[in-house]
Short mmCIF file of all heavy atoms in Angstrom, two decimals:
data_model
loop_
_atom_site.label_atom_id
_atom_site.label_comp_id
_atom_site.label_asym_id
_atom_site.label_seq_id
_atom_site.Cartn_x
_atom_site.Cartn_y
_atom_site.Cartn_z
N ASN A 20 108.25 95.64 95.46
CA ASN A 20 108.49 95.41 94.03
C ASN A 20 109.21 96.60 93.38
O ASN A 20 110.00 96.41 92.45
CB ASN A 20 107.17 95.12 93.31
CG ASN A 20 106.70 93.69 93.54
OD1 ASN A 20 107.52 92.80 93.81
ND2 ASN A 20 105.40 93.46 93.45
N ARG A 21 108.95 97.80 93.86
CA ARG A 21 109.71 98.96 93.36
C ARG A 21 111.19 98.83 93.71
O ARG A 21 112.06 99.16 92.90
CB ARG A 21 109.14 100.25 93.95
CG ARG A 21 107.81 100.71 93.36
CD ARG A 21 107.34 101.98 94.03
NE ARG A 21 108.31 103.06 93.85
CZ ARG A 21 108.53 104.02 94.75
NH1 ARG A 21 107.91 104.01 95.91
NH2 ARG A 21 109.41 104.98 94.48
N LEU A 22 111.47 98.36 94.90
CA LEU A 22 112.86 98.16 95.30
C LEU A 22 113.50 97.04 94.51
O LEU A 22 114.65 97.14 94.07
CB LEU A 22 112.92 97.86 96.80
CG LEU A 22 112.68 99.05 97.73
CD1 LEU A 22 112.35 98.58 99.14
CD2 LEU A 22 113.90 99.97 97.75
N ALA A 23 112.78 95.95 94.32
CA ALA A 23 113.32 94.81 93.57
C ALA A 23 113.70 95.21 92.16
O ALA A 23 114.65 94.67 91.58
CB ALA A 23 112.31 93.67 93.55
N ALA A 24 112.99 96.18 91.60
CA ALA A 24 113.29 96.64 90.24
C ALA A 24 114.63 97.35 90.15
O ALA A 24 115.14 97.57 89.04
CB ALA A 24 112.17 97.57 89.75
N LEU A 25 115.22 97.68 91.30
CA LEU A 25 116.53 98.35 91.32
C LEU A 25 117.68 97.36 91.50
O LEU A 25 118.84 97.77 91.52
CB LEU A 25 116.56 99.38 92.46
CG LEU A 25 115.55 100.52 92.36
CD1 LEU A 25 115.57 101.35 93.64
CD2 LEU A 25 115.86 101.41 91.15
N ALA A 26 117.36 96.08 91.65
CA ALA A 26 118.39 95.08 91.95
C ALA A 26 118.76 94.26 90.73
O ALA A 26 117.93 94.02 89.83
CB ALA A 26 117.89 94.15 93.06
N HIS A 27 120.00 93.79 90.71
CA HIS A 27 120.45 92.87 89.67
C HIS A 27 120.11 91.42 90.03
O HIS A 27 119.81 90.61 89.16
CB HIS A 27 121.97 92.99 89.48
CG HIS A 27 122.43 94.35 89.06
ND1 HIS A 27 122.78 95.32 89.96
CD2 HIS A 27 122.57 94.89 87.82
CE1 HIS A 27 123.14 96.42 89.30
NE2 HIS A 27 123.03 96.18 88.01
N TRP A 28 120.19 91.09 91.32
CA TRP A 28 119.93 89.73 91.78
C TRP A 28 118.82 89.78 92.81
O TRP A 28 118.94 90.43 93.86
CB TRP A 28 121.19 89.13 92.42
CG TRP A 28 122.44 89.31 91.61
CD1 TRP A 28 122.54 89.38 90.24
CD2 TRP A 28 123.78 89.47 92.10
NE1 TRP A 28 123.84 89.57 89.86
CE2 TRP A 28 124.64 89.63 90.97
CE3 TRP A 28 124.35 89.49 93.37
CZ2 TRP A 28 126.01 89.81 91.09
CZ3 TRP A 28 125.73 89.67 93.49
CH2 TRP A 28 126.54 89.81 92.36
N VAL A 29 117.72 89.09 92.55
CA VAL A 29 116.55 89.10 93.43
C VAL A 29 116.38 87.71 94.02
O VAL A 29 116.40 86.71 93.29
CB VAL A 29 115.28 89.53 92.66
CG1 VAL A 29 114.07 89.58 93.60
CG2 VAL A 29 115.50 90.90 92.00
N LEU A 30 116.18 87.64 95.36
CA LEU A 30 116.24 86.37 96.07
C LEU A 30 115.01 86.13 96.95
O LEU A 30 115.12 86.06 98.19
CB LEU A 30 117.50 86.33 96.94
CG LEU A 30 118.82 86.77 96.29
CD1 LEU A 30 119.92 86.85 97.32
CD2 LEU A 30 119.18 85.83 95.15
N PRO A 31 113.83 85.96 96.38
CA PRO A 31 112.65 85.75 97.22
C PRO A 31 112.47 84.29 97.63
O PRO A 31 112.97 83.38 96.97
CB PRO A 31 111.51 86.18 96.30
CG PRO A 31 112.00 85.78 94.93
CD PRO A 31 113.50 86.04 94.96
N GLY A 32 111.72 84.08 98.71
CA GLY A 32 111.23 82.76 99.01
C GLY A 32 110.00 82.50 98.15
O GLY A 32 109.40 83.43 97.60
N LEU A 33 109.61 81.24 98.02
CA LEU A 33 108.47 80.91 97.16
C LEU A 33 107.19 81.60 97.61
O LEU A 33 106.48 82.19 96.80
CB LEU A 33 108.27 79.40 97.11
CG LEU A 33 107.09 78.91 96.26
CD1 LEU A 33 107.25 79.34 94.80
CD2 LEU A 33 106.96 77.40 96.36
N SER A 34 106.88 81.54 98.90
CA SER A 34 105.65 82.17 99.38
C SER A 34 105.71 83.68 99.20
O SER A 34 104.70 84.32 98.88
CB SER A 34 105.40 81.80 100.85
OG SER A 34 106.46 82.25 101.66
N GLU A 35 106.88 84.27 99.39
CA GLU A 35 107.04 85.70 99.17
C GLU A 35 106.81 86.04 97.70
O GLU A 35 106.10 86.99 97.37
CB GLU A 35 108.45 86.14 99.56
CG GLU A 35 108.73 86.12 101.04
CD GLU A 35 110.17 86.51 101.37
OE1 GLU A 35 111.08 86.18 100.57
OE2 GLU A 35 110.37 87.14 102.41
N GLY A 36 107.41 85.26 96.82
CA GLY A 36 107.26 85.51 95.40
C GLY A 36 105.81 85.40 94.95
O GLY A 36 105.35 86.19 94.11
N ARG A 37 105.09 84.43 95.49
CA ARG A 37 103.68 84.29 95.13
C ARG A 37 102.87 85.48 95.58
O ARG A 37 102.01 85.98 94.85
CB ARG A 37 103.14 82.99 95.76
CG ARG A 37 103.62 81.74 95.05
CD ARG A 37 103.23 80.47 95.80
NE ARG A 37 103.42 79.29 94.95
CZ ARG A 37 103.35 78.04 95.40
NH1 ARG A 37 103.11 77.81 96.68
NH2 ARG A 37 103.53 77.03 94.57
N LEU A 38 103.12 85.96 96.80
CA LEU A 38 102.38 87.12 97.30
C LEU A 38 102.72 88.38 96.52
O LEU A 38 101.85 89.17 96.16
CB LEU A 38 102.70 87.31 98.79
CG LEU A 38 102.08 88.54 99.47
CD1 LEU A 38 100.56 88.46 99.42
CD2 LEU A 38 102.57 88.65 100.90
N LEU A 39 103.99 88.56 96.22
CA LEU A 39 104.44 89.79 95.58
C LEU A 39 104.06 89.89 94.11
O LEU A 39 103.83 90.98 93.59
CB LEU A 39 105.96 89.92 95.71
CG LEU A 39 106.49 90.19 97.12
CD1 LEU A 39 108.01 90.01 97.17
CD2 LEU A 39 106.11 91.58 97.59
N THR A 40 104.00 88.75 93.42
CA THR A 40 103.74 88.78 91.97
C THR A 40 102.35 88.30 91.57
O THR A 40 101.89 88.61 90.47
CB THR A 40 104.77 87.91 91.24
OG1 THR A 40 104.53 86.53 91.54
CG2 THR A 40 106.20 88.29 91.62
N GLY A 41 101.72 87.50 92.42
CA GLY A 41 100.43 86.92 92.07
C GLY A 41 100.55 85.66 91.24
O GLY A 41 99.53 85.06 90.88
N PHE A 42 101.78 85.22 90.96
CA PHE A 42 102.00 83.99 90.19
C PHE A 42 102.30 82.83 91.14
O PHE A 42 102.84 83.01 92.22
CB PHE A 42 103.16 84.17 89.20
CG PHE A 42 102.89 85.18 88.12
CD1 PHE A 42 103.62 86.37 88.06
CD2 PHE A 42 101.91 84.95 87.17
CE1 PHE A 42 103.39 87.30 87.07
CE2 PHE A 42 101.67 85.89 86.17
CZ PHE A 42 102.39 87.07 86.11
N GLU A 43 101.98 81.62 90.69
CA GLU A 43 102.20 80.42 91.49
C GLU A 43 103.52 79.73 91.14
O GLU A 43 104.27 79.32 92.01
CB GLU A 43 101.04 79.43 91.30
CG GLU A 43 99.76 79.87 91.97
CD GLU A 43 99.86 79.83 93.48
OE1 GLU A 43 100.32 78.81 94.03
OE2 GLU A 43 99.49 80.84 94.11
N ASP A 44 103.78 79.56 89.85
CA ASP A 44 104.96 78.82 89.41
C ASP A 44 106.23 79.62 89.62
O ASP A 44 106.28 80.82 89.33
CB ASP A 44 104.84 78.48 87.93
CG ASP A 44 103.96 77.27 87.67
OD1 ASP A 44 103.26 76.82 88.59
OD2 ASP A 44 103.99 76.79 86.53
N PRO A 45 107.29 78.98 90.07
CA PRO A 45 108.57 79.68 90.22
C PRO A 45 109.04 80.33 88.93
O PRO A 45 109.62 81.43 88.96
CB PRO A 45 109.51 78.55 90.67
CG PRO A 45 108.64 77.57 91.36
CD PRO A 45 107.35 77.59 90.60
N ALA A 46 108.81 79.68 87.80
CA ALA A 46 109.25 80.25 86.53
C ALA A 46 108.57 81.59 86.25
O ALA A 46 109.21 82.53 85.76
CB ALA A 46 108.98 79.28 85.39
N ASP A 47 107.29 81.68 86.56
CA ASP A 47 106.56 82.92 86.32
C ASP A 47 106.98 84.01 87.31
O ASP A 47 107.06 85.19 86.94
CB ASP A 47 105.06 82.67 86.43
CG ASP A 47 104.54 81.76 85.33
OD1 ASP A 47 105.10 81.81 84.22
OD2 ASP A 47 103.59 81.01 85.58
N ILE A 48 107.23 83.61 88.55
CA ILE A 48 107.71 84.58 89.53
C ILE A 48 109.05 85.15 89.08
O ILE A 48 109.27 86.37 89.11
CB ILE A 48 107.85 83.91 90.91
CG1 ILE A 48 106.48 83.46 91.42
CG2 ILE A 48 108.52 84.86 91.91
CD1 ILE A 48 106.54 82.56 92.64
N ALA A 49 109.94 84.28 88.67
CA ALA A 49 111.26 84.72 88.22
C ALA A 49 111.14 85.63 87.00
O ALA A 49 111.82 86.66 86.90
CB ALA A 49 112.14 83.52 87.91
N ALA A 50 110.27 85.26 86.06
CA ALA A 50 110.10 86.07 84.85
C ALA A 50 109.60 87.47 85.19
O ALA A 50 110.00 88.45 84.55
CB ALA A 50 109.12 85.37 83.90
N PHE A 51 108.76 87.57 86.19
CA PHE A 51 108.25 88.88 86.63
C PHE A 51 109.40 89.81 86.99
O PHE A 51 109.42 90.97 86.56
CB PHE A 51 107.32 88.67 87.83
CG PHE A 51 106.80 89.94 88.44
CD1 PHE A 51 105.63 90.51 87.98
CD2 PHE A 51 107.48 90.56 89.49
CE1 PHE A 51 105.13 91.69 88.56
CE2 PHE A 51 107.00 91.73 90.07
CZ PHE A 51 105.82 92.30 89.60
N TYR A 52 110.37 89.31 87.74
CA TYR A 52 111.48 90.16 88.17
C TYR A 52 112.51 90.37 87.06
O TYR A 52 113.14 91.43 86.98
CB TYR A 52 112.11 89.60 89.44
CG TYR A 52 111.19 89.76 90.63
CD1 TYR A 52 110.61 88.66 91.24
CD2 TYR A 52 110.86 91.03 91.08
CE1 TYR A 52 109.73 88.82 92.30
CE2 TYR A 52 109.98 91.21 92.14
CZ TYR A 52 109.42 90.11 92.74
OH TYR A 52 108.53 90.27 93.79
N LEU A 53 112.67 89.38 86.19
CA LEU A 53 113.54 89.59 85.04
C LEU A 53 112.99 90.70 84.14
O LEU A 53 113.74 91.53 83.63
CB LEU A 53 113.69 88.29 84.24
CG LEU A 53 114.46 87.15 84.93
CD1 LEU A 53 114.41 85.91 84.06
CD2 LEU A 53 115.92 87.56 85.20
N ASP A 54 111.69 90.72 83.99
CA ASP A 54 111.05 91.75 83.17
C ASP A 54 111.19 93.14 83.80
O ASP A 54 111.17 94.16 83.10
CB ASP A 54 109.57 91.44 82.97
CG ASP A 54 109.32 90.26 82.04
OD1 ASP A 54 110.26 89.88 81.32
OD2 ASP A 54 108.21 89.70 82.07
N GLN A 55 111.36 93.17 85.14
CA GLN A 55 111.53 94.45 85.83
C GLN A 55 112.96 94.98 85.76
O GLN A 55 113.22 96.12 86.13
CB GLN A 55 111.14 94.32 87.30
CG GLN A 55 109.65 94.32 87.57
CD GLN A 55 109.36 94.57 89.05
OE1 GLN A 55 110.15 94.24 89.93
NE2 GLN A 55 108.22 95.16 89.32
N GLY A 56 113.89 94.13 85.34
CA GLY A 56 115.27 94.60 85.22
C GLY A 56 116.31 93.75 85.92
O GLY A 56 117.50 94.06 85.84
#
């Protein structure tokens, strides 16, 4: 997640996004990384 905060475009798989953010919905996972930059 520290590395993802340095990227403009973040491309996780759904299961990866759920593990990394703790969110289930794709919209919430995406919002997590948008909030990081």
